[in-house]
Amino acid sequence: MSTGQLLALDLLVAVVGTGAWLGAGATVLAGRTRVAAGLFLTAVVATLARIASVVALATAGWWFVPEKVLLGVPLLGVALLAAWAGLRMLRRGASGAGTALSLLSAGYASAAGLVVTVLFGYPATAAVVLVTFALVGVAVLVTWRVLGHRVPRLATAGVTALGLVGAVLAAVPASSPADMTGMDHHGVSVAMLRGPATPAPGGAVRRFTLTARTGEVRLASGRRVAAWTFNGQLPGPPITVTQGDLVDVRLRNADITVGVTLHWHGYDVPAAEDGAPGVTQRAVSPGHGFRYRFRADRVGTYWYHTHSMSAQGVRMGLYGALVVKPRSSAAGGLDLTVPVHTVDDAVVFGRADRPDRRRVAPGTPVRLRLVNTDSTPHRFTLAGTAYRLVAVDGTDLHGPTPLTRTGLVLAAGGRYDLAFRMPSRAVALLADDDGATGLRLVPPGASAPKPPDTAGWPELDLTRYGTPTRAPLGGHADRDFTLVLDRGLAMVDGRPGYAQTVNGLAHPSIPDQVVREGDLVRLTIVNRSRETHPWHLHGHRVLVLSRDGRTPTGSPLWLDSVDVRPGEVWRVAFRADNPGVWMNHCHNLDHATAGMVLHLRYEGVMSPYHGGHE
Ligand code: C2O
Ligand code: CU
């Protein structure tokens, strides 16, 4: 069983146990001893199962269980008492108020643990633990009172004391506010770290103008939908250049009131060109512009998108592909970039206004560059040909082998390059096993039959694909950061909410990760929640060291969008070789809005901007 499934199971048995304890107590009070006995046995089984699930989770990593252990061990004492009372009831039919109280107390304790896991998650602070104990105590004493008994003074005093200590601890801020906004006001301004003004020797200057505006687009289906576009297109115009070129892009904002920037997703541009509003620049407001320049020094498939209120902006259409081709690119062949996006509840492959169908002569070398521009993963299947997955997130894989009947799950923000030679029959690219839509490549004169049902095709494990080469990033890490991803109550941009949290905090309260140029930095990313978090660090690509403790056995895997599924623990590393202040966030952009954003800052670099809307 995966840790993600264990997390779900643990939650389920906690709910069942809570219900059964409370139900047993209530039925005892109602005098329905037979029912009570059944519920009591259910509660005992659920509690034992809970102990097993917590132990199993703990072996996957301590991050998954601290609140369960801290609250659970003392509360287990309550459950034992209840079990004892329940057993007496079973044997002798002794079912007075005392029995009911024990059973109800176990129910309160179990409910409290559940609430803490759901509302606070990780980490379990002393304040939360103490206040929880106090609240359980209050519930027990009140119940006793309601049942017509006197509550001992000492018990009241004890519960009050626990609550007070907890409240005092909760009121003490965990860290000083100066650290919390993460803006160091010393050092060179990130806005100074601009890109070069000239191409590499032999390269060309490639100029583009992207104008963001609101409007409507016509879909291939004929429907018209409201959209935000670059140059009236959805997606925006592809930026395709050759290695060594200087990319020179003028961004204009016609009427996007929430502002616009251009972020070069996966492309490690100089920091001032990164398009992170509130960090590397101010968002461009209507009537204004910004000029981005960087050298296209690395080949591969990337994309660009607005980063101002990005969840809304990208969803509405402010994105496009960025492809850097090698200088020695062999002529001929079909090189197709396919930014995949959900528009009007349907997945579109590339241009929203064109049917996803192409005529391709048999024998043609084909490269499909898939870009997931949505906020959740897509599962791609390619039917009708064998192919190789030749690049991931812009980096070529080493020794990729032919694939057939395989599911390729692509992280939000991630890219896969697929290569094959066009066969004499039609080829279908599907998303999420939906045979009704998708891209079709059809030889002239041939027809495109209904694609096969791909739902059962097994998923490719990227960490086992391709052949290994010597680990390019070895040695001892200079910095080691752990990010525990969860949900919980936290302040998000100054407002309390049910946030997407990192180590229990949300933007902008998550402390900066501070590094020095040249450091080897290691990140441990732990997903305690029940949703996938596509983790994305700006300005760097990261090498996967392990997933759930297992070292990849295939090609070295460099990613910029790391899909951390529920219960997973990823270790990745990178060399701090691009000074700046960089966003480090979840690329489920709704999660970013809900707080899952922090910054990686180089010593000696500061941002003159004061946060803003990611
Ligand atoms: Cu593609 Cu900060 O994101
Ligand atoms: Cu997320």
Side-chain angles (χ1 to χ4, degrees):
M1 194 182 290
S2 76
T3 311
Q5 291 166 323
L6 263 179
L7 283 169
L9 181 75
D10 181 70
L11 198 66
L12 180 73
V13 288
V15 170
V16 170
T18 304
W21 284 120
L22 292 174
T27 43
V28 162
L29 285 178
R32 314 213 23 205
T33 336
R34 290 276 300 280
V35 184
L39 286 169
F40 164 70
L41 289 176
T42 311
V44 170
V45 171
T47 304
L48 292 176
R50 187 85 209 282
I51 295 172
S53 68
V54 170
V55 168
L57 280 173
T59 61
W62 172 249
W63 314 284
F64 295 109
V65 295
E67 89 288 7
K68 301 182 207 291
V69 172
L70 284 176
L71 288 166
V73 169
L75 297 182
L76 221 54
V78 180
L80 272 177
L81 267 178
W84 184 65
L87 282 175
R88 276 190 19 184
M89 169 182 81
L90 284 185
R91 264 199 266 130
R92 301 191 219 145
S95 56
T99 310
L101 182 73
S102 325
L103 296 170
L104 286 173
S105 303
Y108 299 154
S110 175
L114 203 55
V115 167
V116 167
T117 292
V118 172
L119 288 191
F120 296 95
Y122 182 91
T125 61
V128 166
V129 170
L130 292 180
V131 169
T132 308
F133 284 148
L135 289 177
V136 171
V138 168
V140 171
L141 297 183
V142 167
T143 307
W144 196 229
R145 197 62 243 269
V146 169
L147 293 177
H149 295 270
R150 259 201 54 233
V151 170
R153 283 260 172 80
L154 194 63
T156 316
V159 165
T160 313
L162 270 181
L164 282 178
V165 174
V168 168
L169 286 178
V172 179
S175 55
S176 76
D179 271 357
M180 288 171 62
T181 61
M183 294 305 169
D184 179 343
H185 292 283
H186 306 282
V188 53
S189 162
V190 67
M192 306 291 288
L193 303 173
R194 307 288 326 219
T198 55
V205 179
R206 303 290 312 279
R207 295 199 170 82
F208 301 84
T209 300
L210 297 180
T211 304
R213 65 171 79 249
T214 60
E216 262 192 351
V217 290
R218 239 193 105 225
L219 303 182
S221 64
R223 271 175 64 88
R224 305 190 70 93
V225 294
W228 296 355
T229 68
F230 286 119
N231 301 1
Q233 287 169 243
L234 196 159
I239 295 185
T240 306
V241 299
T242 303
Q243 187 176 25
D245 287 352
L246 181 81
V247 181
D248 184 341
V249 181
R250 279 168 198 277
L251 168 69
R252 314 220 132 270
N253 181 357
D255 62 354
I256 306 289
T257 50
V258 299
V260 181
T261 65
L262 289 176
H263 169 59
W264 312 98
H265 184 116
Y267 220 77
D268 302 340
V269 299
E273 315 292 340
D274 193 47
V279 182
T280 65
Q281 66 172 100
R282 253 184 276 280
V284 176
S285 45
H288 292 82
F290 196 91
R291 184 181 186 190
Y292 297 90
R293 276 192 299 198
F294 59 91
R295 254 186 215 159
D297 40 23
R298 185 162 19 108
V299 301
T301 308
Y302 307 90
W303 61 302
Y304 64 83
H305 62 79
T306 182
H307 220 303
S308 183
M309 301 293 277
S310 58
Q312 187 185 17
V314 176
R315 184 181 302 121
M316 292 299 287
L318 292 177
Y319 68 92
L322 166 67
V323 172
V324 181
K325 297 196 174 172
R327 281 199 182 165
S328 57
S329 183
L334 174 65
D335 190 330
L336 201 57
T337 307
V338 190
V340 172
H341 197 73
T342 302
V343 183
D344 195 31
D345 285 331
V347 178
V348 298
F349 291 66
R351 288 281 295 262
D353 57 345
R354 289 192 190 150
D356 309 315
R357 181 183 273 257
R358 293 256 177 168
R359 291 273 168 210
V360 186
T364 309
V366 179
R367 188 179 186 107
L368 295 180
R369 303 171 183 265
L370 309 183
V371 187
N372 183 356
T373 67
D374 278 326
S375 273
T376 48
H378 281 298
R379 175 183 146 99
F380 291 102
T381 44
L382 190 67
T385 181
Y387 62 95
R388 287 173 303 131
L389 173 58
V390 292
V392 175
D393 285 3
T395 304
D396 286 347
L397 294 184
H398 187 251
T401 48
L403 295 169
T404 50
R405 303 174 66 82
T406 300
L408 301 177
V409 177
L410 181 54
R415 285 89 56 215
Y416 284 159
D417 289 18
L418 276 42
F420 57 93
R421 201 166 274 283
M422 184 65 193
S424 52
R425 292 184 309 158
V427 169
L429 173 72
L430 311 186
D432 310 313
D433 303 302
D434 177 4
T437 61
L439 180 71
R440 302 286 184 275
L441 305 181
V442 188
S447 65
K450 197 173 163 296
D453 179 6
T454 62
W457 292 7
E459 183 187 336
L460 177 71
D461 181 350
L462 267 187
T463 62
R464 291 161 190 233
Y465 182 63
T467 52
T469 54
R470 216 176 66 81
L473 268 190
H476 163 83
D478 302 292
R479 313 272 170 164
D480 212 332
F481 300 107
T482 300
L483 307 171
V484 180
L485 313 180
D486 204 350
R487 288 209 78 164
L489 298 175
M491 297 295 284
V492 184
D493 297 312
R495 273 191 237 133
Y498 191 43
Q500 298 281 352
T501 59
V502 179
N503 301 335
L505 300 169
H507 180 264
S509 305
I510 308 167
D512 283 359
Q513 297 171 330
V514 181
V515 300
R516 196 174 284 162
E517 192 171 354
D519 279 351
L520 181 63
V521 186
R522 200 167 73 158
L523 302 180
T524 302
I525 311 171
V526 181
N527 185 353
R528 263 182 58 111
S529 78
R530 292 183 301 286
E531 295 167 279
T532 293
H533 298 294
W535 203 259
H536 175 57
L537 167 64
H538 288 205
H540 308 74
R541 50 185 186 147
V542 301
L543 178 70
V544 176
L545 301 179
S546 69
R547 184 177 70 184
D548 290 340
R550 281 178 293 106
T551 311
T553 55
S555 163
L557 199 53
W558 290 93
L559 304 176
D560 55 61
S561 307
V562 183
D563 230 8
V564 188
R565 298 182 190 183
E568 284 188 340
V569 179
W570 288 68
R571 285 215 160 81
V572 300
F574 63 93
R575 182 69 64 188
D577 56 4
N578 195 5
V581 182
W582 302 100
M583 294 186 70
N584 193 10
H585 66 97
C586 180
H587 216 281
N588 180 319
L589 297 173
D590 294 304
H591 294 181
T593 308
M596 218 169 236
V597 175
L598 64 140
H599 299 105
L600 175 90
R601 180 163 56 81
Y602 282 62
E603 276 179 14
V605 184
M606 65 91 169
S607 169
Y609 309 103
H610 295 280
H613 284 288
E614 67 294 328

PDB file of all heavy atoms in Angstrom, residues 491-509:
ATOM      1  N   MET A 491      -2.489  32.099   8.039  1.00  0.00           N
ATOM      2  CA  MET A 491      -2.682  33.403   7.420  1.00  0.00           C
ATOM      3  C   MET A 491      -2.166  33.334   5.987  1.00  0.00           C
ATOM      4  O   MET A 491      -1.030  32.932   5.741  1.00  0.00           O
ATOM      5  CB  MET A 491      -1.899  34.469   8.183  1.00  0.00           C
ATOM      6  CG  MET A 491      -2.347  34.662   9.619  1.00  0.00           C
ATOM      7  SD  MET A 491      -4.029  35.287   9.749  1.00  0.00           S
ATOM      8  CE  MET A 491      -3.753  37.007   9.302  1.00  0.00           C
ATOM      9  N   VAL A 492      -2.985  33.731   5.030  1.00  0.00           N
ATOM     10  CA  VAL A 492      -2.568  33.800   3.627  1.00  0.00           C
ATOM     11  C   VAL A 492      -2.697  35.246   3.183  1.00  0.00           C
ATOM     12  O   VAL A 492      -3.800  35.785   3.171  1.00  0.00           O
ATOM     13  CB  VAL A 492      -3.456  32.921   2.723  1.00  0.00           C
ATOM     14  CG1 VAL A 492      -2.927  32.942   1.299  1.00  0.00           C
ATOM     15  CG2 VAL A 492      -3.552  31.514   3.247  1.00  0.00           C
ATOM     16  N   ASP A 493      -1.572  35.843   2.823  1.00  0.00           N
ATOM     17  CA  ASP A 493      -1.584  37.236   2.384  1.00  0.00           C
ATOM     18  C   ASP A 493      -2.406  38.118   3.323  1.00  0.00           C
ATOM     19  O   ASP A 493      -3.223  38.924   2.888  1.00  0.00           O
ATOM     20  CB  ASP A 493      -2.107  37.344   0.946  1.00  0.00           C
ATOM     21  CG  ASP A 493      -1.181  36.622  -0.028  1.00  0.00           C
ATOM     22  OD1 ASP A 493       0.032  36.853   0.050  1.00  0.00           O
ATOM     23  OD2 ASP A 493      -1.669  35.805  -0.833  1.00  0.00           O
ATOM     24  N   GLY A 494      -2.172  37.912   4.632  1.00  0.00           N
ATOM     25  CA  GLY A 494      -2.799  38.777   5.619  1.00  0.00           C
ATOM     26  C   GLY A 494      -4.201  38.384   6.041  1.00  0.00           C
ATOM     27  O   GLY A 494      -4.806  39.056   6.863  1.00  0.00           O
ATOM     28  N   ARG A 495      -4.715  37.301   5.455  1.00  0.00           N
ATOM     29  CA  ARG A 495      -6.063  36.886   5.837  1.00  0.00           C
ATOM     30  C   ARG A 495      -6.047  35.447   6.336  1.00  0.00           C
ATOM     31  O   ARG A 495      -5.366  34.608   5.760  1.00  0.00           O
ATOM     32  CB  ARG A 495      -6.996  36.972   4.637  1.00  0.00           C
ATOM     33  CG  ARG A 495      -7.585  38.345   4.492  1.00  0.00           C
ATOM     34  CD  ARG A 495      -8.712  38.342   3.467  1.00  0.00           C
ATOM     35  NE  ARG A 495      -8.392  39.311   2.436  1.00  0.00           N
ATOM     36  CZ  ARG A 495      -8.479  39.071   1.135  1.00  0.00           C
ATOM     37  NH1 ARG A 495      -8.849  37.886   0.709  1.00  0.00           N
ATOM     38  NH2 ARG A 495      -8.179  40.001   0.266  1.00  0.00           N
ATOM     39  N   PRO A 496      -6.820  35.159   7.398  1.00  0.00           N
ATOM     40  CA  PRO A 496      -6.848  33.776   7.855  1.00  0.00           C
ATOM     41  C   PRO A 496      -7.641  32.913   6.869  1.00  0.00           C
ATOM     42  O   PRO A 496      -8.605  33.383   6.267  1.00  0.00           O
ATOM     43  CB  PRO A 496      -7.586  33.862   9.198  1.00  0.00           C
ATOM     44  CG  PRO A 496      -8.368  35.126   9.142  1.00  0.00           C
ATOM     45  CD  PRO A 496      -7.672  36.051   8.191  1.00  0.00           C
ATOM     46  N   GLY A 497      -7.193  31.691   6.698  1.00  0.00           N
ATOM     47  CA  GLY A 497      -7.912  30.830   5.768  1.00  0.00           C
ATOM     48  C   GLY A 497      -7.487  29.387   5.923  1.00  0.00           C
ATOM     49  O   GLY A 497      -6.567  29.072   6.689  1.00  0.00           O
ATOM     50  N   TYR A 498      -8.180  28.528   5.209  1.00  0.00           N
ATOM     51  CA  TYR A 498      -7.814  27.114   5.171  1.00  0.00           C
ATOM     52  C   TYR A 498      -6.811  26.984   4.030  1.00  0.00           C
ATOM     53  O   TYR A 498      -7.187  26.783   2.886  1.00  0.00           O
ATOM     54  CB  TYR A 498      -9.058  26.260   4.959  1.00  0.00           C
ATOM     55  CG  TYR A 498      -8.822  24.783   5.171  1.00  0.00           C
ATOM     56  CD1 TYR A 498      -8.060  24.330   6.239  1.00  0.00           C
ATOM     57  CD2 TYR A 498      -9.366  23.843   4.321  1.00  0.00           C
ATOM     58  CE1 TYR A 498      -7.844  22.980   6.446  1.00  0.00           C
ATOM     59  CE2 TYR A 498      -9.165  22.484   4.513  1.00  0.00           C
ATOM     60  CZ  TYR A 498      -8.396  22.062   5.583  1.00  0.00           C
ATOM     61  OH  TYR A 498      -8.179  20.716   5.774  1.00  0.00           O
ATOM     62  N   ALA A 499      -5.540  27.128   4.402  1.00  0.00           N
ATOM     63  CA  ALA A 499      -4.499  27.358   3.405  1.00  0.00           C
ATOM     64  C   ALA A 499      -3.875  26.068   2.902  1.00  0.00           C
ATOM     65  O   ALA A 499      -4.050  25.000   3.468  1.00  0.00           O
ATOM     66  CB  ALA A 499      -3.409  28.232   4.031  1.00  0.00           C
ATOM     67  N   GLN A 500      -3.137  26.208   1.801  1.00  0.00           N
ATOM     68  CA  GLN A 500      -2.206  25.178   1.361  1.00  0.00           C
ATOM     69  C   GLN A 500      -0.882  25.567   2.011  1.00  0.00           C
ATOM     70  O   GLN A 500      -0.348  26.634   1.719  1.00  0.00           O
ATOM     71  CB  GLN A 500      -2.075  25.189  -0.165  1.00  0.00           C
ATOM     72  CG  GLN A 500      -3.378  24.880  -0.893  1.00  0.00           C
ATOM     73  CD  GLN A 500      -3.699  23.396  -0.916  1.00  0.00           C
ATOM     74  OE1 GLN A 500      -2.876  22.567  -0.520  1.00  0.00           O
ATOM     75  NE2 GLN A 500      -4.887  23.056  -1.376  1.00  0.00           N
ATOM     76  N   THR A 501      -0.382  24.713   2.888  1.00  0.00           N
ATOM     77  CA  THR A 501       0.720  25.136   3.738  1.00  0.00           C
ATOM     78  C   THR A 501       2.038  24.421   3.425  1.00  0.00           C
ATOM     79  O   THR A 501       2.054  23.317   2.875  1.00  0.00           O
ATOM     80  CB  THR A 501       0.392  24.894   5.221  1.00  0.00           C
ATOM     81  OG1 THR A 501       0.131  23.494   5.404  1.00  0.00           O
ATOM     82  CG2 THR A 501      -0.822  25.698   5.658  1.00  0.00           C
ATOM     83  N   VAL A 502       3.112  25.094   3.791  1.00  0.00           N
ATOM     84  CA  VAL A 502       4.453  24.521   3.763  1.00  0.00           C
ATOM     85  C   VAL A 502       4.974  24.636   5.194  1.00  0.00           C
ATOM     86  O   VAL A 502       5.057  25.748   5.723  1.00  0.00           O
ATOM     87  CB  VAL A 502       5.373  25.287   2.799  1.00  0.00           C
ATOM     88  CG1 VAL A 502       6.769  24.679   2.809  1.00  0.00           C
ATOM     89  CG2 VAL A 502       4.790  25.304   1.390  1.00  0.00           C
ATOM     90  N   ASN A 503       5.274  23.520   5.815  1.00  0.00           N
ATOM     91  CA  ASN A 503       5.702  23.481   7.210  1.00  0.00           C
ATOM     92  C   ASN A 503       4.726  24.248   8.111  1.00  0.00           C
ATOM     93  O   ASN A 503       5.123  24.957   9.029  1.00  0.00           O
ATOM     94  CB  ASN A 503       7.122  24.034   7.363  1.00  0.00           C
ATOM     95  CG  ASN A 503       8.121  23.238   6.536  1.00  0.00           C
ATOM     96  OD1 ASN A 503       7.883  22.073   6.233  1.00  0.00           O
ATOM     97  ND2 ASN A 503       9.216  23.852   6.145  1.00  0.00           N
ATOM     98  N   GLY A 504       3.464  24.155   7.798  1.00  0.00           N
ATOM     99  CA  GLY A 504       2.425  24.753   8.623  1.00  0.00           C
ATOM    100  C   GLY A 504       2.171  26.232   8.355  1.00  0.00           C
ATOM    101  O   GLY A 504       1.320  26.827   9.000  1.00  0.00           O
ATOM    102  N   LEU A 505       2.900  26.828   7.413  1.00  0.00           N
ATOM    103  CA  LEU A 505       2.749  28.260   7.147  1.00  0.00           C
ATOM    104  C   LEU A 505       2.349  28.481   5.698  1.00  0.00           C
ATOM    105  O   LEU A 505       2.487  27.596   4.854  1.00  0.00           O
ATOM    106  CB  LEU A 505       4.073  28.987   7.427  1.00  0.00           C
ATOM    107  CG  LEU A 505       4.596  28.871   8.866  1.00  0.00           C
ATOM    108  CD1 LEU A 505       6.025  29.386   8.957  1.00  0.00           C
ATOM    109  CD2 LEU A 505       3.688  29.657   9.808  1.00  0.00           C
ATOM    110  N   ALA A 506       1.866  29.691   5.437  1.00  0.00           N
ATOM    111  CA  ALA A 506       1.471  30.040   4.068  1.00  0.00           C
ATOM    112  C   ALA A 506       2.107  31.372   3.682  1.00  0.00           C
ATOM    113  O   ALA A 506       2.587  32.121   4.546  1.00  0.00           O
ATOM    114  CB  ALA A 506      -0.047  30.118   3.964  1.00  0.00           C
ATOM    115  N   HIS A 507       2.076  31.683   2.402  1.00  0.00           N
ATOM    116  CA  HIS A 507       2.654  32.913   1.876  1.00  0.00           C
ATOM    117  C   HIS A 507       2.021  34.132   2.524  1.00  0.00           C
ATOM    118  O   HIS A 507       0.811  34.161   2.657  1.00  0.00           O
ATOM    119  CB  HIS A 507       2.408  32.954   0.361  1.00  0.00           C
ATOM    120  CG  HIS A 507       2.946  34.174  -0.297  1.00  0.00           C
ATOM    121  ND1 HIS A 507       2.185  35.287  -0.571  1.00  0.00           N
ATOM    122  CD2 HIS A 507       4.197  34.465  -0.734  1.00  0.00           C
ATOM    123  CE1 HIS A 507       2.928  36.206  -1.163  1.00  0.00           C
ATOM    124  NE2 HIS A 507       4.159  35.734  -1.267  1.00  0.00           N
ATOM    125  N   PRO A 508       2.743  35.167   2.933  1.00  0.00           N
ATOM    126  CA  PRO A 508       4.198  35.327   2.809  1.00  0.00           C
ATOM    127  C   PRO A 508       4.960  34.962   4.069  1.00  0.00           C
ATOM    128  O   PRO A 508       6.075  35.420   4.250  1.00  0.00           O
ATOM    129  CB  PRO A 508       4.319  36.826   2.526  1.00  0.00           C
ATOM    130  CG  PRO A 508       3.206  37.426   3.335  1.00  0.00           C
ATOM    131  CD  PRO A 508       2.101  36.409   3.400  1.00  0.00           C
ATOM    132  N   SER A 509       4.371  34.130   4.926  1.00  0.00           N
ATOM    133  CA  SER A 509       5.011  33.853   6.218  1.00  0.00           C
ATOM    134  C   SER A 509       6.036  32.727   6.175  1.00  0.00           C
ATOM    135  O   SER A 509       6.740  32.499   7.147  1.00  0.00           O
ATOM    136  CB  SER A 509       3.943  33.476   7.251  1.00  0.00           C
ATOM    137  OG  SER A 509       2.974  34.490   7.321  1.00  0.00           O
TER     138      SER A 509
END
